[in-house]
Amino acid sequence: MDREIKSSDLVRVAPEVWEVPSSFRSDMRVAARLYADEVLLEAALTDRSIEQLINTSTLPGIVSYAIAMPDIHQGYGFPIGGVIATLLPEGVISPGGVGYDINCGVRVLASEASVDEVQPFLDELSRALYRNCPSGVGVRGEIKLNDTELDRILESGSGWALEQGYARPEDLSRTEQAGTILGGNPTLVSRRARDRGRGQIGTLGAGNHFIEVDRVSHVYGEKAGKLLGLFVGQIAVQIHCGSRGLGHQVCEEYVSRFQKTVHDYGIQLPDRELVCAPFNSPEGQEYFSAMNCAANFAFANRQVLAHRIRQSFEQVLGNKVPNRDLHQIYDVAHNMAKVEDHCIDGTSLRVCVHRKGATRAFGPGSPGLSAEFSEIGQPVLIPGSMGTESYILLGTAGSMEKTFGSTCHGAGRVMSRARAKKSVGGEQLREELRSRGIVVRAGSMSGLAEETPAAYKDVARVVDVVESAGIGRKLARLEPIAVIKG
Amino acid sequence: MPQLKEIEHTADRAFLVRGKDLNELFTQAAQALLQFEGRKPYGKGSLSREAEVEVEGFDRETLLVNWLNEILYLQEAREETYTGAEILEISDQHLKARLKGQPGDRRMRLIKAVTFHGLRIKETTKGIEATVIVDV
């Protein structure tokens, strides 16, 4: 293990940017940059996340910097909150740089109804959401897929959901890459991955995944807010989940296989979880294709969950609350690798951007954005910790210039799960949240305790750093009123 | 000596396992994984299940990760919950094992996958040990 990293090892290169120069370690190919204020820097120094960030700077083909967002925390291989870009065609793609939950992401829906109208039915609504959106370990959904249907999901993601009546056309136009990543070859998704995912479409899973009913408490940008139909006091719903067992299996198969691949290509790495393959090699192309299929599975999964949430609203609020219908604000991925063109030192270059616990945040006018968002930039969804506020941001010109069109993805943990459980009991936490007007439905009280807000950084501070650094701007703040967890 | 020790990790879970040889290390690692997942209690008269598995790996570390991920895969795909693991044969690149458990997915905690992060099977004065980090 390398020596412990201290704050004196980092140079402040801008008010919210700290740099570990490439001379720090002989195997670094580029410098490492962390977006943080003093408090978040101190938090990052309490675990091995900066060492993990430095490790990613050794990947062949990396350009500019290895970048960490202010919600950085220790992961495995890559830090959570890490962004790197590798130059194509010779740069590498790393399955560990995407993670096991491929296209884990967030969707936000909003209604024209106000919290005051929905509040009397909140208990009933949370029960319906818990019932209709299966959660927990190994949970199965109602949709049983044969191989032909599964292939269609792997090829077209939200496009399949639209064909099946689980989506509206406008949902797709408000999803990153329209919820369909073209070109994935389903035959590269193994039988084992299919076995795991077959019964899991439309399920939430466990861990830090959740559905949350929120009140929009602040809208910062009038024009953009109006475009997205956001107003203070309205009801919104967040969904946080990913590609379930199918994605986990795809990742684990390639991380295992690439243990040999790195030897074949003579790639030296400081950590075996960083294994990779040249992007244009047969191995790299196969992983990229299988990963895109898993990403489509995740888009379809969140789309079916959105459909179940709409049904739940209808069941509980039908004939009681007019304007209860939920329209989509946006859907973003925060565990992905994508081929994008970025301007680096004045030249447009094609790179493979890995975002591991980081969100795409394309600024106004970026290619790839739908016409609707061309003027305001891409919406970015930042869930806070359970019981705290969340944010909707917009991508900026700054995120395009500085961070390969990327920004943070959440609050970021600071406390281990074991310590979190020692600090508070699940029942106690549920009561505390209830006393603050937040209804909680959870399958596991111990799992609930692990997600205590005290285990996370202050999301408001994270978002303030993002805004000060110019890699995102605030559009709206959401406050929770009901949480559904596995 | 204690054969299993949890190590502090910010977001995920990590455990140190020890054994006098590969067989014991791999058995302990499987037990650690199953212990971490926990399981809901069974009613009376639950049927028992057995699964024989063969796993291969590029080297000892890959074999260890593949072995533990095989357990996660089988539980999810077959909807079974394992309570015990016995290594029948083992070399640096291959193992044969028997898993025992119950029908139904009754795990309490989700482990998404077992990772290679910082993984090295190290020789010690008393045998061998490895620190395994799992994604939860």
Side-chain angles (χ1 to χ4, degrees):
Chain A
M1 189 171 69
D2 298 286
R3 72 170 173 84
E4 194 177 329
I5 293 156
K6 301 184 183 73
S7 58
S8 57
D9 294 321
L10 292 103
V11 182
R12 193 171 206 164
V13 293
E16 295 84 14
V17 187
W18 308 78
E19 184 172 300
V20 181
S22 58
S23 56
F24 178 77
R25 235 170 61 186
S26 60
D27 57 348
M28 291 174 74
R29 293 172 192 262
V30 295
R33 284 192 163 187
L34 167 65
Y35 284 75
D37 61 8
E38 286 88 347
V39 172
L40 295 170
L41 171 65
E42 281 306 312
L45 287 165
T46 60
D47 62 21
R48 297 179 65 185
S49 46
I50 297 179
E51 181 192 331
Q52 291 180 337
L53 175 68
I54 291 168
N55 287 346
T56 65
S57 75
T58 68
L59 286 164
I62 187 169
V63 289
S64 297
Y65 311 99
I67 298 167
M69 294 297 157
D71 52 336
I72 184 177
H73 62 83
Q74 184 179 341
Y76 44 86
F78 277 60
I80 312 301
V83 178
I84 68 144
T86 52
L87 186 64
L88 299 184
E90 67 272 18
V92 297
I93 184 166
S94 171
V98 174
Y100 292 91
D101 200 356
I102 295 166
N103 186 8
C104 184
V106 183
R107 178 174 296 221
V108 174
L109 309 164
S111 152
E112 296 289 306
S114 72
V115 169
D116 293 344
E117 292 171 280
V118 174
Q119 193 81 47
F121 312 102
L122 192 59
D123 265 326
E124 200 184 334
L125 184 63
S126 65
R127 273 198 299 276
L129 290 169
Y130 190 70
R131 191 173 58 239
N132 294 337
C133 304
S135 63
V137 182
V139 69
R140 301 292 191 277
E142 285 177 12
I143 301 169
K144 305 288 177 240
L145 300 164
N146 62 32
D147 266 328
T148 310
E149 290 164 318
L150 191 51
D151 279 351
R152 187 74 195 122
I153 291 179
L154 299 174
E155 280 169 346
S156 68
S158 296
W160 165 85
L162 185 65
E163 291 161 13
Q164 300 296 315
Y166 297 118
R168 303 169 183 173
E170 58 270 29
D171 295 344
L172 273 63
S173 64
R174 286 189 171 186
T175 299
E176 183 172 331
Q177 235 166 316
T180 303
I181 300 172
L182 298 172
N185 178 355
T187 64
L188 294 170
V189 175
S190 69
R191 167 63 47 197
R192 295 159 76 86
R194 288 159 181 268
D195 287 346
R196 287 180 77 166
R198 196 181 300 281
Q200 293 183 333
I201 206 87
T203 65
L204 194 59
N208 63 352
H209 293 163
F210 63 83
I211 291 170
E212 188 174 282
V213 183
D214 295 300
R215 168 183 179 270
V216 176
S217 60
H218 201 96
V219 178
Y220 299 86
E222 196 183 333
K223 186 178 169 190
K226 205 169 174 183
L227 191 145
L228 283 162
L230 290 166
F231 60 90
V232 172
Q234 81 183 121
I235 284 278
V237 183
Q238 291 184 75
I239 307 166
H240 176 217
C241 68
S243 50
R244 310 281 285 108
L246 184 138
H248 308 165
Q249 187 71 28
V250 167
C251 180
E252 105 192 13
E253 286 173 8
Y254 282 91
V255 172
S256 176
R257 180 177 157 192
F258 283 12
Q259 299 298 320
K260 180 171 181 300
T261 305
V262 288
H263 283 265
D264 296 344
Y265 286 97
I267 298 170
Q268 303 281 327
L269 296 166
D271 182 359
R272 296 183 65 161
E273 190 67 19
L274 296 176
V275 288
C276 52
F279 184 83
N280 273 8
S281 67
E283 296 90 342
Q285 285 296 292
E286 282 182 32
Y287 167 69
F288 186 59
S289 188
M291 180 209 68
N292 282 335
C293 288
N296 282 334
F297 187 88
F299 281 132
N301 189 30
R302 288 196 291 275
Q303 185 63 57
V304 173
L305 283 168
H307 177 73
R308 301 279 184 240
I309 291 167
R310 283 175 172 147
Q311 284 182 321
S312 304
F313 268 59
E314 200 54 41
Q315 282 166 13
V316 176
L317 307 177
N319 301 322
K320 294 170 189 155
V321 177
N323 303 324
R324 61 193 168 270
D325 186 49
L326 292 161
H327 66 274
Q328 181 140 322
I329 301 296
Y330 207 67
D331 181 303
V332 287
H334 54 225
N335 283 352
M336 277 297 282
K338 290 190 157 187
V339 175
E340 294 168 4
D341 294 325
H342 286 279
C343 187
I344 297 161
D345 297 332
T347 309
S348 177
L349 297 172
R350 181 149 292 184
V351 289
C352 179
V353 183
H354 297 63
R355 299 186 179 94
K356 173 77 185 295
T359 316
R360 194 186 79 168
F362 278 3
S366 299
L369 281 189
S370 63
E372 187 179 23
F373 301 120
S374 183
E375 200 179 329
I376 63 167
Q378 177 212 308
V380 178
L381 312 171
I382 310 296
S385 54
M386 185 172 56
T388 67
E389 73 266 36
S390 298
Y391 289 87
I392 300 174
L393 310 181
L394 291 169
T396 59
S399 53
M400 301 311 290
E401 288 162 18
K402 298 171 187 171
T403 53
F404 305 110
S406 314
T407 196
C408 66
H409 88 308
R413 285 192 81 96
V414 280
M415 189 191 284
S416 74
R417 291 172 187 277
R419 271 174 51 212
K421 273 203 300 190
K422 279 182 198 151
S423 76
V424 67
E427 288 289 356
Q428 183 194 346
L429 180 59
R430 183 159 69 175
E431 282 315 305
E432 276 176 26
L433 292 169
R434 182 168 273 281
S435 71
R436 289 169 43 204
I438 304 168
V439 176
V440 177
R441 300 218 169 264
S444 155
M445 281 300 116
S446 124
L448 188 70
E450 289 180 13
E451 293 298 319
T452 176
Y456 284 84
K457 296 174 193 175
D458 175 6
V459 67
R461 182 179 284 275
V462 168
V463 167
D464 282 345
V465 168
V466 158
E467 193 162 66
S468 301
I471 56 170
R473 69 182 173 97
K474 288 184 214 172
L475 173 59
R477 188 178 69 212
L478 314 176
E479 309 275 352
I481 57 171
V483 181
I484 287 85
K485 285 191 60 62
Chain B
M1 68 177 165
Q3 309 242 304
L4 164 64
K5 184 180 161 197
E6 181 158 4
I7 309 283
E8 190 91 346
H9 189 283
T10 314
D12 296 301
R13 302 298 281 259
F15 53 88
L16 171 69
V17 285
R18 299 183 171 116
K20 62 178 188 301
D21 54 20
L22 271 186
N23 189 315
E24 194 172 277
L25 183 81
F26 277 53
T27 308
Q28 290 296 325
Q31 293 296 353
L33 186 83
L34 298 173
Q35 191 178 314
F36 265 46
E37 287 184 315
R39 54 188 179 272
K40 295 168 196 160
Y42 290 92
K44 285 179 185 170
S46 296
L47 298 170
S48 62
R49 290 284 166 90
E50 269 193 14
E52 284 218 358
V53 297
E54 281 197 58
V55 181
E56 300 200 340
F58 167 66
D59 57 12
R60 296 196 300 184
E61 283 80 6
T62 311
L63 186 67
L64 178 60
V65 171
N66 289 356
W67 157 234
L68 299 177
N69 279 330
E70 179 74 12
I71 296 173
L72 296 180
Y73 161 74
L74 286 172
Q75 291 191 123
E76 200 163 293
R78 293 187 183 179
E79 294 189 57
E80 294 177 350
T81 307
Y82 301 120
T83 52
E86 184 188 358
I87 307 288
L88 305 173
E89 287 173 29
I90 188 162
S91 68
D92 282 356
Q93 294 183 316
H94 175 263
L95 71 79
K96 198 184 264 191
R98 184 180 296 126
L99 294 164
K100 289 184 178 174
Q102 305 285 342
D105 195 335
R106 306 189 67 81
R107 293 172 293 159
M108 297 281 283
R109 182 190 307 285
L110 180 70
I111 293 176
K112 289 175 185 165
V114 177
T115 80
F116 281 87
H117 180 44
L119 180 62
R120 194 160 67 82
I121 296 176
K122 287 185 279 199
E123 311 286 337
T124 68
T125 51
K126 292 176 181 171
I128 50 175
E129 66 177 38
T131 299
V132 179
I133 296 176
V134 300
D135 182 13
V136 298

